Amino acid sequence: FDADQLVQQLDCGTTVLVDESEISFVDKSLFNTVQTVYEQMAFRATHDPLTELIERHEFEKYLARALTKSKKNSTTHALCYIDINQFSLINNNYGHETGDALLKAIANRLSTSLENHVLARIGGNEYGVLIYDCSEDEAINTTEQLRRAINDKAFQVQGKKLELSISIGFEMISPDSLNVTTLLKHANLACMASKQASGKKVVEYHEDDSDQVHHDSMMHWVARVDEALAENLLQVRCQKIAPVENPQSTSPHYEILLGVVDDDGNLTSPEPFIEAAEQFNRMPKVDRWVVNSAFEWMENHQEKINALHGLSINLSGHSINDNDFLPFLLEKLRQTTIETHKICFEVTETATISSLNYAADFITEVKKTGCKFSLDDFGTGLASYEYLQKLPVDYLKIDGIFIKDIVTNTNNYAMVKSINELGHYLGKETIAEFVENEQILEVLKEIGVDHAQGYGIEKPKLLNTL
């Protein structure tokens, strides 16, 4: 019964109070047994079995009550979001048993540092803290104490000394706060900003913070990535790569580009889509979709492929790092009826490649099938020459940042000339990006660059219009 029903029952005599002495021993025993089982079930339903902290759903109830209290009494509280930095390395290096023991140790240390506040485990290696009745300054002091409690002292777990750090983001709960979902989202965004600073500082969520606004946008876009892959809302575009000496060649090369459709069915810039896919580990799925779509088109248009120099397909560094991607790609190449020398894979986001040796092995294995490789964005970053030395590519794509003002910028002219000479010395053909006009093309002819790509050659178009 709820309170009103119980009062009514007592009032009409349907329910009566009895003296404890009137209850039989058997009834008492049964009641105590049921009560114990109920308490155990209630605890299991609301607490994490590993750390014995309350879990996310129960934590959200505490947040809802704090938000109601804030709106009613004009009080302020703080929601903290805590993430253990690079926790996967602990599991990989020491095993999940050690990782679980460490999670318990972290929970105990955080509990010791908190008084009269709520601590919860809200994810695999994420904790939530609700700090009651505090000002902004008090929230900063408390969260900073939590950060130092974990970061400044190593953990002794199963005979191992483990040093780690946490990232903390928080948002104030005030009468203006919208709801629990928004609070958690904002605190998580602040935590991500803290993570970018390697957990060296606590970050508070602010609506006008450009980095946090950007993270919020990426969170929105990653949902679009999943939706686009699930519902096939992507399109395949292409852009011509032509010989510098003969831009009107009847046998040009084309680079496959990703086309992203907006809510109105129009093509939109793929940059935020790709950035979100990279940041949230969706690029291997995106690259699989592009490879499948490109191969399907080539299979259905053999005559057109025979008339072309070939097609280039981008592979991100994330896909090259993915252990399952190479077997997938080799199987696609084994099954295809396309002449594999017509296929070139373009290695992009080289900065995300975790192992140059593995990437070199990846390229070598794929090249055994007859495919070629191109190294994209060459010239930016100190690692470019190391990549060129270790990766057995056939084409060198000069970054467009050196090309777009090459007519007037003598430094960029010298840079392109040296990259072109280096590429030719190493037996590789060169490709210039961002060739926007005839003047740039004439300079590239003078330097001796082999191929050109850009709006001055041809704008991107849908592959099915080729």
Side-chain angles (χ1 to χ4, degrees), residues 148-298:
R148 289 199 300 268
I150 302 299
N151 293 6
D152 292 354
K153 185 180 179 182
F155 287 83
Q156 291 289 341
V157 177
Q158 296 181 335
K160 304 177 184 70
K161 183 179 180 181
L162 303 176
E163 294 186 0
L164 55 91
S165 65
I166 58 174
S167 298
I168 304 182
F170 77 94
E171 183 180 34
M172 297 301 298
I173 301 173
S174 70
D176 297 328
S177 299
L178 293 177
N179 52 51
V180 169
T181 301
T182 304
L183 284 168
L184 284 166
K185 175 185 172 183
H186 288 172
N188 186 24
L189 287 170
C191 183
M192 291 171 66
S194 174
K195 210 172 183 70
Q196 283 195 322
S198 303
K200 293 179 181 177
K201 64 177 182 177
V202 171
V203 175
E204 181 180 3
Y205 177 81
H206 292 288
E207 281 189 2
D208 56 352
D209 186 291
S210 59
D211 290 336
Q212 292 172 21
V213 170
H214 180 69
H215 280 303
D216 196 9
S217 173
M218 287 299 98
M219 297 286 280
H220 167 75
W221 268 103
V222 77
R224 292 282 301 276
V225 172
D226 293 336
E227 179 187 5
L229 290 171
E231 301 182 16
N232 206 28
L233 300 178
L234 300 173
Q235 292 190 4
V236 184
R237 299 184 301 154
C238 63
Q239 187 177 29
K240 181 187 286 188
I241 301 175
V244 169
E245 293 293 340
N246 182 19
Q248 306 307 318
S249 167
T250 57
S251 180
H253 196 92
Y254 277 86
E255 179 186 355
I256 297 293
L257 303 171
L258 186 66
V260 179
V261 180
D262 63 18
D263 293 335
D264 298 323
N266 302 315
L267 280 173
T268 185
S269 170
E271 289 184 13
F273 181 96
I274 293 172
E275 184 181 354
E278 290 170 0
Q279 188 171 332
F280 294 94
N281 199 31
R282 302 301 199 275
M283 275 313 295
K285 288 184 178 180
V286 173
D287 283 350
R288 281 173 184 251
W289 186 92
V290 173
V291 168
N292 283 329
S293 300
F295 272 53
E296 181 182 352
W297 186 89
M298 287 188 280

Side-chain angles (χ1 to χ4, degrees), residues 64-75:
R65 287 194 286 269
L67 182 55
T68 301
K69 179 183 176 183
S70 178
K71 291 180 180 296
K72 184 178 179 180
N73 303 326
S74 296
T75 54

Side-chain angles (χ1 to χ4, degrees), residues 329-459:
L329 191 57
L330 292 175
E331 181 64 18
K332 292 292 295 185
L333 291 166
R334 187 186 66 80
Q335 293 176 352
T336 189
T337 59
I338 307 160
E339 295 179 0
T340 51
H341 71 271
K342 295 276 189 179
I343 302 171
C344 178
F345 292 105
E346 194 166 300
V347 182
T348 61
E349 293 99 46
T350 47
T352 65
I353 293 176
S354 58
S355 167
L356 272 181
N357 291 331
Y358 180 79
D361 292 341
F362 181 104
I363 293 173
T364 300
E365 285 300 311
V366 176
K367 286 187 69 172
K368 288 178 182 177
T369 67
C371 298
K372 295 187 169 83
F373 271 83
S374 175
L375 182 60
D376 193 20
D377 298 334
F378 187 81
T380 56
L382 298 175
S384 289
Y385 290 98
E386 184 182 3
Y387 283 113
L388 186 57
Q389 287 177 318
K390 292 190 176 181
L391 301 182
V393 297
D394 305 281
Y395 299 96
L396 194 58
K397 210 164 189 181
I398 305 169
D399 193 284
I401 195 171
F402 303 116
I403 304 296
K404 58 186 179 181
D405 63 350
I406 192 172
V407 175
T408 56
N409 189 318
T410 55
N411 289 333
N412 284 348
Y413 181 98
M415 188 72 177
V416 172
K417 191 172 189 297
S418 65
I419 291 173
N420 187 65
E421 290 174 354
L422 175 65
H424 287 171
Y425 178 78
L426 295 173
K428 306 178 193 307
E429 294 183 41
T430 53
I431 304 169
E433 298 178 301
F434 285 42
V435 180
E436 306 298 317
N437 52 54
E438 188 67 30
Q439 290 89 347
I440 293 176
L441 192 62
E442 287 301 317
V443 172
L444 295 176
K445 284 181 184 179
E446 177 186 314
I447 292 174
V449 174
D450 299 303
H451 307 278
Q453 178 182 14
Y455 279 29
I457 303 298
E458 186 178 273
K459 293 182 178 180

